[in-house]
Amino acid sequence: MANIGWKDILAEEMPLDMAHEIDIFEGQMELMGQGKLDEKVFAETRLRRGVYGQRYDNGQRHDGFESRELEFEEIERIKGPDTIWHAPGMQRIKVPGGGLTAEQLDVLAQVADEYSDGILHVTTRQDFQLHFVHIEDTPDMMRRLASVGITTREACGNSVRNVTCCHLAGVCQTEVFDATPYSEAFAQFLLGHDDVQDFGRKFKPAFSGCESEACGLVMMHDLGYLAQVREVDGKQQRGFKVYVGGGLGTVPHQAKVLSEFTPEEEILPEAQAVSRVFARLGEKRNRNRARIKFLVAKLGIEEFRRLVIEERKTLPHDDRWTAYLETLPHYEEKPTRPPTFLNGQVSSAGFQQWFETNVYAQRQEGYSVVTVNLPLGDLTSQQTWVLSDIARKYVGDNVRTTVEQNIVLRWVSDSDLPSLYEELNAIGLGDAGAGTVVDITACPGTDTCKLGIASSRGLAAELRTRLTAKSASLPDAIKDLKIKISGCFNSCGQHHVSDIGFFGNSRRSGNFKMPHFQVVLGGMWRENAGSYGLAVGAVPSKTVPDVVDTITSRYVEERAKGETFQEWIGRIGKKEARSLIQPYMKLPDFEQQPDYFSDWGDPRVFSLGDIGIGECAGEVVSLFSMEIATAESEAFEAQVALDENDPARADSLAYASMVKAARALVRTQFLDVGDSPDRIVEEFKTRFFDTELFFDQYAKGKFGQYLFDRHQSPNPSPDNDAAHRLIEESLLFIEATHVCESKVGGNVLIEI
Amino acid sequence: MTAPQRMSVKFYFDELSVDVEEFIPVFHRWIRENVVPNELLLDVADYKHIIDGPAILLVGHEADYVIDLTDGKPGFLYVRKRDLGVDLPEALATTLAQALNSIRLAETDVELQGKLKLRTDAAKIVLLDRLNYPNQTPNGSGSNDAGQTAQSQLAENLGVLFGENVTVTRVENDAREPLTFELNAPAAPDVDTLLGRL
Ligand code: SF4
């Protein structure tokens, strides 16, 4: 008897489409193992499932003295260019809008301790990341996540990344309306949508409920939505101010206004039109200029807007554009407890401190949002399932992750706050200081990122420890500052929009390299990431705590009443700001200060030898290669179904593989062919069969005829023989599709 | 019973007079000097900012080594992730052998010598495999309680090692947590003796 696996156990609990996608991915892993898939195509495939590379996965590691080979078994087996199959990687898990249920937390905790190192890491895009994951564990991990409605699809790669939304949406004091259901509809609509499969780079959307606060950060997004209400004929109409072309990265861009007001029924078609324009005109080959911000800058916002409006007119109608609006009147979050008030309950000193920084009074009287301050965005599996019980007890499923790498519990009845605090504290999650200077954001940096230059997490941990130790005596002006750290110029730690930001780089002193951080001052977190900071110079990593002390002390001494940090930096100017850090910029020799030549939390002598090739901007592969790979996986699944003695399923999968292959070919000429098999077969016939482009020199139209026959006359009850025959035919059809594509030359390129 | 996908054993510190941070350079050196036979060591992860959890992790391909502070009980945790063998006794033998070997490495390390001592009369054993070892309570819904079978197999095999008076108690944890056992032995044999018996 075959072993029972998660696939069987969870068959009833996974949504069918998610289950099927995971089977396909597993099939592609197997094909890759058999050398039947191109390495770049497989790399793209796994990235689109959130299966990312991690530092040292090229098999090289610098041990402080020299670069050494890591002797993985089957060293020649790879999962992408220069990426060893058996090397552990990172799994990114999408959490749209950061919204989580208690049950999802349970499963996240379980997969973290069985497949990772037992640590869940919250990212600056409200995702989770697990590190040190083996690729062979990923399909079962995905199944377990799918069983509670979580997908990893398009968590990485050149796709629509996690759609972020204010963690306070729906309970916020200043919002225009709750942006949550819109962001959810947006995420669902674009997930796997045909029009978002051919982007030159990743695409990050965000939703925000108001203009003045920070949470949504729409100004630094590829596509950002700010809730607005206008009056039309005496009636209130909901919509969004839409921004496009923002982004951090090496060259930060402030987003431009695409539309002052897009009514709610138009946001999805407009996003689809934006996607099409980006897919069609965005840069594909030069990955450094492929984000939409470069296209908007190149065309100018007026021309870009015109193109989007024109594109919108050509879109075939889709019911999904507005279907979700019918559910909006019923959209609500339910608290688990009635509203109550904090009426002088006896509480600890720790509670008071925590209450000041970690509790936000909701718009709804008697309720608060509690921020669980996660150090460096980390929490253990064990903490997570206690946290899920705490959630069940106090707030039910009203849990969200935040872009500041924390978790919030919403709808806490106020009189529960003291006991909730004690319960969080008992599991090490009662740290005060959420959203203050001690709550430092950091990207993974050299800990796990292939592109990391300096240790952003090591530095963040050091600063957090030092600042927490003196937090009681810190002046208020300093307490509210934001510190954000990236391990390199790619800005995943969002350093551009913090008061005091850092990104990793290096300098040479004598024969040695020294880890450094570029200091970026005066960025603005509020007003949806309203402005970017000023880079003033690079200092050795080990001096950063002193640099922070120097800058903040000067600010406290010199600030005018009510003057913000941004205003102060603006007033003193770049030259003076640089002079603040000048004393730290001098590089000592190795002999004078050897500890300067290693990074925080890492005693190895610093080296750049471990930097690999990042996968954020991966490989250039054709759209055809990606789509034909899915067809091949479907054919592979058909074989598996036949082995499992299920000829009906084998037959239907073999047919689906031919349709997918035909679609891949058609889409080299006609992107909008859609999903209908009738339409695909028709287009295939007209474009490739009738023109004889698909014909084999000897077999002529035979392979194409396989598709037509099965399409026109499906076998109502295929036996094993019939299914087997159809599988053989589908494989021949797919082969012929490859030959045809190389003959006619597909020209649609995508990048990971 | 089939070997679990992952298995861990944690021995508790009797003495620990070093800051957990001091394990970082030690673990980096272990990687450089390739001190663990038959295992590929990869990297060191610093989680000491997490309260009541793993503090410093030496990540390997086959196994992780953790200075673990969970439950307020500092210990040396060995997590076997791959190549556990075909059945539970084999998985236990592999995991214990490597865990004990790592204790010996830590206790005799040039930088740690004399600064730590681990107890061998108590340990926590975890079967990290909810598919084959679901954590159902004996009276729970599952008719085949993997926990009971695992417990008797563990007791039988650990008896050979730690003496027949060893007790293996199933920890009454939540069903979401992995199946967990506490080992208690009347005496604390030294590591070499235990390794010799394996
Ligand atoms: S900023 Fe650089 S180091 Fe940090 S995660 Fe992004 S690419 Fe990696």
Side-chain angles (χ1 to χ4, degrees):
Chain A
M1 200 181 86
N3 283 340
I4 302 287
W6 287 114
K7 181 175 171 176
D8 312 285
I9 289 174
L10 300 174
E12 302 290 304
E13 286 159 58
M14 290 184 281
L16 279 179
D17 52 344
M18 280 198 203
H20 184 59
E21 284 163 20
I22 298 165
D23 291 348
I24 292 286
F25 176 59
E26 196 168 41
Q28 284 170 319
M29 281 174 50
E30 205 158 327
L31 288 174
M32 186 65 196
Q34 296 166 8
K36 292 181 181 162
L37 259 192
D38 176 78
E39 62 189 62
K40 289 183 180 175
V41 171
F42 182 71
E44 163 68 2
T45 303
R46 71 174 161 76
L47 285 169
R48 293 213 179 177
R49 306 286 342 160
V51 181
Y52 219 76
Q54 196 176 303
R55 210 163 174 89
Y56 315 124
D57 66 8
N58 59 359
Q60 297 290 322
R61 180 180 184 276
H62 201 278
D63 65 13
F65 294 88
E66 59 181 335
S67 208
R68 299 251 190 120
E69 195 164 302
L70 296 169
E71 289 169 1
F72 288 104
E73 62 200 81
E74 297 185 290
I75 197 98
E76 67 297 333
R77 195 171 166 198
I78 53 169
K79 52 187 171 185
D82 215 17
T83 314
I84 292 169
W85 183 267
H86 288 292
M90 179 267 274
Q91 176 70 52
R92 188 173 294 148
I93 298 165
K94 260 180 159 176
V95 186
L100 287 165
T101 65
E103 188 190 21
Q104 288 174 335
L105 279 173
D106 285 339
V107 174
L108 283 161
Q110 293 183 348
V111 298
D113 79 3
E114 276 186 52
Y115 303 122
S116 162
D117 58 357
I119 304 289
L120 287 149
H121 177 72
V122 178
T123 75
T124 52
R125 291 204 60 72
Q126 297 179 300
D127 297 295
F128 277 104
Q129 281 181 191
L130 305 180
H131 293 102
F132 306 108
V133 175
H134 197 278
I135 189 167
E136 275 158 7
D137 290 333
T138 56
D140 275 347
M141 174 193 291
M142 290 171 194
R143 290 186 178 108
R144 293 170 76 176
L145 293 169
S147 73
V148 288
I150 297 177
T151 183
T152 64
R153 184 172 186 185
E154 293 168 2
C156 306
N158 282 350
S159 50
V160 178
R161 300 293 183 86
N162 198 36
V163 180
T164 55
C165 181
C166 314
H167 60 273
L168 295 178
V171 298
C172 173
Q173 303 269 4
T174 56
E175 74 183 358
V176 177
F177 58 81
D178 185 357
T180 313
Y182 298 93
S183 77
E184 282 173 1
F186 183 99
Q188 269 170 26
F189 177 66
L190 287 188
L191 182 71
H193 196 289
D194 268 355
D195 289 335
V196 304
Q197 302 305 310
D198 193 24
F199 289 169
R201 283 296 305 271
K202 56 192 168 186
F203 189 81
K204 297 177 175 176
F207 280 75
S208 190
C210 62
E211 216 149 345
S212 60
E213 295 300 323
C215 328
L217 306 174
V218 301
M219 299 294 284
M220 50 172 250
H221 277 81
D222 293 297
L223 195 56
Y225 292 84
L226 273 182
Q228 313 266 303
V229 170
R230 72 176 176 190
E231 211 172 283
V232 181
D233 299 332
K235 278 172 93 180
Q236 298 266 298
Q237 186 184 30
R238 280 180 171 197
F240 290 86
K241 184 169 180 178
V242 182
Y243 287 86
V244 70
L248 298 181
T250 337
V251 191
H253 283 54
Q254 283 281 347
K256 304 277 182 299
V257 178
L258 176 68
S259 140
E260 285 293 341
F261 187 89
T262 299
E264 57 185 359
E265 64 275 13
E266 270 301 307
I267 61 168
L268 299 186
E270 184 185 72
Q272 192 181 343
V274 169
S275 302
R276 284 183 169 214
V277 172
F278 178 43
R280 195 170 64 241
L281 300 177
E283 173 63 46
K284 297 275 165 54
R285 294 191 180 276
N286 179 357
R287 65 189 63 170
N288 295 324
R289 302 195 63 78
R291 294 285 292 270
I292 198 171
K293 62 189 178 187
F294 294 105
L295 180 63
V296 173
K298 186 171 120 190
L299 296 174
I301 187 63
E302 289 78 18
E303 175 62 5
F304 184 84
R305 188 182 298 122
R306 188 190 68 75
L307 289 167
V308 169
I309 292 168
E310 288 306 312
E311 192 68 42
R312 167 67 187 93
K313 290 179 195 157
T314 70
L315 293 181
H317 177 79
D318 188 333
D319 287 342
R320 293 177 301 166
W321 288 342
T322 50
Y324 75 99
L325 294 173
E326 285 161 27
T327 65
L328 282 187
H330 316 291
Y331 177 84
E332 60 168 349
E333 284 182 325
K334 288 197 180 61
T336 55
R337 307 241 203 177
T340 52
F341 298 93
L342 248 187
N343 279 333
Q345 280 112 313
V346 180
S347 54
S348 60
F351 171 76
Q352 290 305 337
Q353 220 188 335
W354 174 84
F355 179 78
E356 273 172 34
T357 51
N358 295 39
V359 177
Y360 173 88
Q362 290 188 193
R363 183 172 76 233
Q364 298 84 357
E365 270 208 341
Y367 289 105
S368 293
V369 178
V370 159
T371 302
V372 182
N373 183 357
L374 304 177
L376 309 191
D378 292 342
L379 79 167
T380 66
S381 289
Q382 195 158 345
Q383 285 172 325
T384 308
W385 46 69
V386 181
L387 182 64
S388 80
D389 282 343
I390 292 175
R392 280 187 181 91
K393 179 171 167 188
Y394 292 106
V395 299
D397 289 335
N398 297 314
V399 182
R400 294 193 191 186
T401 52
T402 79
V403 293
E404 292 201 272
Q405 302 179 300
N406 290 323
I407 287 180
V408 290
L409 304 175
R410 299 150 54 97
W411 294 97
V412 179
S413 185
D414 283 350
S415 64
D416 287 336
L417 288 166
S419 52
L420 172 58
Y421 165 71
E422 296 303 335
E423 287 179 42
L424 288 173
N425 210 24
I427 54 167
L429 294 179
D431 280 3
T436 71
V437 72
V438 301
D439 188 9
I440 298 167
T441 302
C443 75
T446 47
D447 277 18
T448 49
C449 176
K450 290 165 86 166
L451 297 174
I453 295 176
S455 176
S456 39
R457 277 169 59 87
L459 175 60
E462 184 65 26
L463 288 174
R464 185 178 170 103
T465 306
R466 293 193 192 201
L467 290 165
T468 303
K470 55 185 180 187
S471 63
S473 59
L474 284 177
D476 285 348
I478 296 180
K479 272 187 190 158
D480 290 338
L481 297 182
K482 302 245 179 235
I483 298 180
K484 297 187 186 288
I485 310 171
S486 303
C488 76
F489 46 76
N490 282 311
S491 315
C492 305
Q494 302 176 339
H495 59 264
H496 292 293
V497 290
S498 59
D499 296 289
I500 304 176
F502 299 97
F503 72 86
N505 55 20
S506 85
R507 296 283 185 271
R508 170 177 290 279
S509 173
N511 289 328
F512 294 91
K513 292 202 172 64
M514 191 189 293
H516 269 60
F517 278 94
Q518 178 71 230
V519 184
V520 180
L521 297 176
M524 188 190 271
W525 183 253
R526 286 178 55 82
E527 296 181 21
N528 281 285
S531 64
Y532 299 146
L534 218 56
V536 294
V539 296
S541 177
K542 290 287 169 77
T543 67
V544 171
D546 293 338
V547 167
V548 170
D549 274 351
T550 302
I551 294 170
T552 52
S553 307
R554 270 288 289 277
Y555 168 54
V556 170
E557 277 163 29
E558 291 183 4
R559 73 192 277 257
K561 195 162 180 276
E563 189 175 36
T564 65
F565 190 80
Q566 292 87 42
E567 287 161 352
W568 175 66
I569 288 292
R571 175 162 65 81
I572 68 171
K574 185 167 179 170
K575 212 165 150 204
E576 184 57 25
R578 187 178 171 87
S579 77
L580 287 174
I581 65 164
Q582 199 80 48
Y584 302 97
M585 292 170 73
K586 199 168 165 303
L587 308 191
D589 292 337
F590 189 87
E591 290 69 27
Q592 288 172 308
Q593 206 98 45
D595 62 312
Y596 274 40
F597 293 81
S598 61
D599 215 333
W600 292 106
D602 188 343
R604 288 175 293 169
V605 173
F606 182 72
S607 141
L608 296 179
D610 290 331
I611 295 176
I613 297 165
E615 294 192 320
C616 348
E619 313 297 335
V620 179
V621 286
S622 73
L623 182 61
F624 174 81
S625 306
M626 288 307 301
E627 296 190 343
I628 198 72
T630 320
E632 281 163 351
S633 308
E634 204 96 17
F636 180 77
E637 282 293 304
Q639 285 162 316
V640 173
L642 192 62
D643 289 347
E644 289 168 353
N645 211 11
D646 189 347
R649 188 169 137 76
D651 170 89
S652 117
L653 285 164
Y655 166 61
S657 76
M658 283 196 278
V659 175
K660 282 211 160 89
R663 183 176 189 270
L665 193 56
V666 170
R667 270 168 54 86
T668 60
Q669 295 188 350
F670 175 39
L671 280 169
D672 278 339
V673 64
D675 284 326
S676 147
D678 286 345
R679 179 87 192 272
I680 291 165
V681 172
E682 184 56 38
E683 290 292 342
F684 166 76
K685 184 169 178 304
T686 323
R687 290 166 188 270
F688 296 99
F689 193 81
D690 294 347
T691 55
E692 300 193 359
L693 284 169
F694 196 77
F695 279 29
D696 177 80
Q697 195 179 354
Y698 305 106
K700 301 294 175 202
K702 183 173 164 188
F703 305 135
Q705 201 57 48
Y706 293 152
L707 171 66
F708 303 140
D709 290 348
R710 173 59 181 81
H711 181 67
Q712 278 149 16
S713 327
N715 186 340
S717 48
D719 57 14
N720 278 357
D721 274 352
H724 186 241
R725 224 172 16 250
L726 193 73
I727 291 171
E728 293 296 326
E729 290 175 358
S730 69
L731 294 172
L732 289 167
F733 181 84
I734 289 169
E735 272 316 306
T737 313
H738 274 291
V739 174
C740 179
E741 192 268 348
S742 52
K743 219 161 39 184
V744 298
N747 55 2
V748 184
L749 290 173
I750 58 173
E751 282 182 40
I752 304 168
Chain B
M1 293 183 90
T2 179
Q5 176 187 254
R6 286 185 177 197
M7 183 174 192
S8 73
V9 56
K10 176 176 172 180
F11 286 100
Y12 303 104
F13 286 113
D14 210 5
E15 271 173 53
L16 180 64
S17 58
V18 287
D19 194 285
V20 291
E21 199 163 354
E22 292 188 39
F23 284 91
I24 296 177
V26 172
F27 283 168
H28 275 288
R29 178 163 45 75
W30 285 16
I31 298 174
R32 195 171 67 240
E33 294 174 357
N34 209 2
V35 296
V36 183
N38 306 322
E39 287 185 24
L40 174 61
L41 302 177
L42 299 172
D43 200 15
V44 182
D46 179 355
Y47 290 128
K48 64 180 184 301
H49 51 275
I50 292 177
I51 302 169
D52 201 28
I56 310 295
L57 202 87
L58 168 56
V59 185
H61 185 50
E62 291 80 8
D64 293 341
Y65 297 79
V66 190
I67 304 304
D68 184 63
L69 309 180
T70 306
D71 296 331
K73 288 180 164 178
F76 201 103
L77 169 72
Y78 176 83
V79 187
R80 185 76 187 185
K81 305 188 287 187
R82 300 172 68 82
D83 305 335
L84 282 96
V86 292
D87 55 18
L88 183 58
E90 205 181 324
L92 178 68
T94 307
T95 307
L96 265 181
Q98 291 301 88
L100 289 166
N101 182 51
S102 66
I103 290 180
R104 188 164 55 181
L105 274 173
E107 287 181 344
T108 57
D109 185 89
V110 282
E111 285 173 74
L112 300 173
Q113 215 166 17
K115 296 178 183 166
L116 62 88
K117 177 102 192 86
L118 284 132
R119 294 171 52 184
T120 53
D121 59 348
K124 183 158 101 171
I125 297 170
V126 182
L127 306 182
L128 279 156
D129 182 347
R130 291 173 180 84
L131 179 67
N132 295 304
Y133 293 88
N135 191 7
Q136 294 154 329
T137 54
N139 304 322
S141 52
S143 52
N144 274 332
D145 181 36
Q148 273 176 338
T149 321
Q151 185 173 7
S152 49
Q153 287 198 6
L154 290 175
E156 191 184 319
N157 287 277
L158 290 166
V160 178
L161 220 59
F162 289 85
E164 59 187 30
N165 290 331
V166 70
T167 58
V168 174
T169 320
R170 184 162 160 190
V171 175
E172 287 185 15
N173 54 0
D174 192 281
R176 292 165 297 183
E177 297 186 49
L179 207 47
T180 304
F181 301 91
E182 287 286 358
L183 170 149
N184 280 288
D190 67 38
V191 171
D192 285 330
T193 308
L194 287 170
L195 279 169
R197 288 179 192 160
L198 262 167

